[in-house]
Amino acid sequence: MDILSGFSRDKSNLVDILQAFQDKLGYLPEDIIIEVADYLRMSPSAVYSVATFYPRFKFTPSGKKTVCACRGTACHVRGGGRVLREIENKLGIKPGETTSDMEYTLETVSCMGACALAPAVMVDNEIHGQMTPAKVSEVIGE
Amino acid sequence: MNNNGNISRSVLICQGTSCSSQKSKKIREAFECGILEAGITDTKVDFTGCQGFCALGPVVIIEPEGILYTRVTVEYVPEIIRSHLQEGRPVSALFYTDPESGEAVPYYKNIGKYKKQHRLIMRNCGHINPEKIADYEAVGGYKSLKKIISHMSPQQVVDEIRCSGLRGRGGGGFPIAQKWDLCRATTADSKYVICNADEGDPGAFMDRNILEGDPHSLLEGLIIAGYAAGASKGFIYLRSDYKLAVKRIKLAIEAAKKQGYLGENIFGSGFSFDVSIRTGVGAYVCGEETALIATIEGKRGTPHPRPPYPAERGLWGQPTVINNVKTLANIPLVISQGADSYAKIGTVNNSGTAVLALSGKIVNGGIIEVPMGTTLREIIFDIGGGIPNGRRFKAVQIGGPSEACLPAGLLNTPVDFDSLAKVGASLGSGGIVVMDEDTCIVDIARYFLSFTQLESCGKCTPCRLGTKRMLDILERICNGKGKMSDLDLLLKLAKTVKEGSLCGLGQSAPNTVLTTLRYFKKEYEEHILRHHCRAAVCRGMVKAPCIHTCPAEIDVPRYIRSIQKGQPGEALAIVREKIPFPAVCGLVCFHPCESRCRRAQLDEAVSIRELKRYAVEYGNDIWKSRTKKALPSGKRVAVIGSGPAGLTAAYYLARSGHSVTVYESQPLAGGMLRMAIPDYRLPKDILDADIDEIISAGVTIKTNTEIYNVESLFEQGFNAVFVAIGAQNDLKIGISGEDDHRFIDRLAFLKEVNSGKKFSPGDRVGVIGGGHAAVDVARTSRRLGAGEVTIIYRRSREDMPAGLEEIEKALAEGINILEMTMPVQAVNGEDGVTLECIRMQKGDIDSSGRYRSVPMEGSEFSIELDSVIASVGQRLHIPDRFGLDTADDGFIGVDNFTLATDKPGVYAGGDAVLGPSSVIEAISQGRQAAKSIDIYLGGSGIIDETLAIPEDIDFLEDPSELPRQVSPVLPASERIKSFSQVELGYDREIAEEEARRCLRCDLE
């Protein structure tokens, strides 16, 4: 794939290569893992060993929209837990899961750095601050 | 953007993350269009990084005036253009308002929060366009780099940094020069410098700010670091999800290259330096140096033992200096202003500034920068604006999830590396999260541990398993299944995890548990021993905050639903399941439930007390048909005192089958309910109705009978005794002159009035105190004809324990309140008493989280009064022959859970044990005493009964969106003419409407 040609066959490029694929495809399919392993002259299991260490790498396709709820301290202290529960109720999925119609993937993050706006929820790349359970339907738009 | 000739004014719109999320980009576009259309040519519009005023966004600054506009919306832009830019009249509606004084502050330099800062690293954020290198150069950017390259050798640069005393801002506080020395001293072919911008600590967002707002400052610092350390290649390692930061850094690197600050042979010096970006992939542990290096090397991000330190053997085995964003941003400043000048900022051994991210329960959240050594108190209260909504401070977490939670008593701790280390804390990432009384400390410890547990890389068994076990224990405690031995186990595990972990994550993971156990042990004990979460947070134990907070655990949401369904009789039955004084509580309870009501997060708490009253007035006797009385036990119990504690205990004991006699020294039963609460709050016939039901349950009350000797009761054949004699004696104020006859004893005064005798306390009455008792005295005095009644209280109105409702009623009845005032002495004359007072001001925060009230020098004044009534507290009066020990606080000492005294068979409760307390707490103690005595007498100790039908929750409308229904009251002018009841109560329509506001937290 063109992505690979942008990197030398150096093993230390592994994490960057995986990130490039993750950004482009939204997840790391098995055949990509094998292709990368081949390119870097590593075993696929060694590649998996690195890929599975990092939370941002996904191995199943994501939904069209990613809803990311922040679990950070400021968000927790300002009621982020109830916002997350409301999102779970509305979408019918738990963090790490994708709705069956492939519209939404729900994730959580330990802190997205928007603490002054706690509690924060990010939908794709847009941060929504000062969330309440009542605002969830506006933000998820169902 | 206007690029025309003479620019004399700038409109700067913040496009940092927070303001951007509130559409500040659209605001900028609106300004650009609007200014163009208006034909204004001398004003440029630009965007900037974040000033740090995140809680007030979107933020716009107009220079050169230095005016700050807060909470700007697109709709306001035309007005700003017309009124401010064209007509020279700034738009005052958008000014910042000082929370203390309530005044508008137009200039950002005058804003308290800003004034008290020392903005060094943050100096450019919010003032320059971060995507324009020319803006950075215009304010002195890259001058430091030019200076060192032409005038200083790498060793000289290291020495300069050494003189400045700069310590690492990533959390370790390690002297920077030493790290660079180590790198220089190691021989190698290649050396590297890495900027650690992985900012993973929840609560930290200042590195993000710098990356987005002033990326060149960081880049310049990195290049200088490379020069000093002898490196030719630099990396900036930042989180991939900091998308805006990644974009700005990339632009900065390209621009720097173009200008020749990066690349081969920089400015002909022979020094070559190149910078690449690497992005982190979501593992918190990769903020640790050796783990970070592993990621760049393409491996799993697990840490390695140190030594060897990265400065000796790091990336690809080569010497590598790793510095935090804030550390590097300091470097150009040290070079430009000189090490000596820099070292003057801050404190000894802790030079420079601290950049802190304030969040949590705080009025002014955002990024601030203060000299090292500024105290937590100044940061949280003076700069941060304190806790919102009048809540009380509880704890502050500093430095990250693996760091300490400090209590109010440590608020005077200076924020610097060494002072924090002394109290078991650490500056860490500089994130400061403030918590108030609505935060559960045990839940916070559990929460932090769940974070570190999740992020543990798994390499070290003590960290991987130890944190998991600690988390399991904490979860059990939060679910009400903890044991006291768990606390010892937590300490043991903490030690093992700390000592057995290879990296900082594991070594500091137990810190939050350790500090919270050290400073907040009581909360842990309450969770374990009483299944009580005082913040009403732990869902495993808290069915609903109102139920949990009610000392009698009344099933509030259920009775409110009954009212909603038009069944006040069932509502009354539900209330009676827990208390025998529904009518009294419906009128006078201080409703702690409402203070925790979750509805208050939307608008206002549900009017729980009024709804209880409604249930009493509109309910029926259906509950009576469902009570069961136990068979006679053959045991006899004596209760001394017929106040709420005594009568509640008597009621439950009688229903459990015991023969109960209540002894009351006064002519009528009721205790303080009868003697001290005025008729306009609690009509005595309503009190009688509740007492009559208690008598019907089989309780005998002997009035006009004082008991002097507990032994004599046992001799008469009683098997157990409950002492509920209250705290009958009023405390003195403690000033000279108060022995005069014009100083009236509060309780004697109220007793006289409540027994029907009317007398006049004179025209000018002074009441000292701020609780319900003081307000009762004041309002009673007004009804007795006093024309000028003044309540004198040494703290502020918001702090008065009487609560806002009572205070508002008092004010409406023409009573004056002199807050922040303390009486000093009384001079009694013929025409009255001159009470000399002094004004008070807010001092330090004490260990309970409240500010101390301290006298203000030179503010003495006098007030002329006819009488003074002190309502400052009560103490116990107990006959010697009771033979009961008093505790340190002067009240009867009992076991906290059983209420047993040290005399077998003798129990005590109510004000006699708690000190002056509340009706519902006295009732709660009465319940506890009944349970304990029943067990003592061979019973089960179960006093709960089911009086209402099972609930059918199939039908449920959504909660109403209406605001809280106003409680109808008599007009103020009529009220003071008599002692008629002031509160009129809800009618059916309003009650059902109010009941619909309940959010049904118990059904979640």
Side-chain angles (χ1 to χ4, degrees), chain A residues 12 16 19 49 53-56 71-74 76-78 82 85 110-113 115-117 126-127, chain B residues 21 23 54 202 205 208 239-240 278-282 295-297 299-301 359-361 443 447-448 451 1004:
Chain A
S12 62
D16 290 335
Q19 281 196 63
S49 154
F53 182 85
Y54 296 97
R56 208 152 289 135
R71 282 182 290 107
T73 313
H76 177 81
V77 153
R78 291 191 92 124
R82 306 187 74 223
R85 280 199 289 284
S110 304
C111 176
M112 56 176 75
C115 315
L117 296 175
E126 214 182 305
I127 295 186
Chain B
S21 77
K23 315 286 185 272
C54 309
F205 52 105
R208 167 180 223 157
R239 292 171 59 153
S240 60
R278 287 287 191 274
T279 46
V281 222
T295 312
I296 299 183
E297 290 177 351
K299 302 179 184 144
R300 286 169 65 91
S359 66
K361 299 297 183 76
D443 171 68
Y447 160 80
F448 284 141
F451 172 82
E1004 263 177 23

Side-chain angles (χ1 to χ4, degrees), chain B residues 187-232:
Chain B
T187 330
D189 297 328
S190 327
K191 298 185 183 179
Y192 304 103
V193 282
I194 303 180
C195 168
N196 184 346
D198 195 43
E199 195 166 62
D201 273 354
F205 52 105
M206 65 294 269
D207 287 3
R208 167 180 223 157
N209 245 41
I210 296 169
L211 288 162
E212 292 175 356
D214 194 8
H216 284 286
S217 67
L218 153 65
L219 197 49
E220 187 179 1
L222 186 63
I223 303 169
I224 296 176
Y227 180 78
S232 57

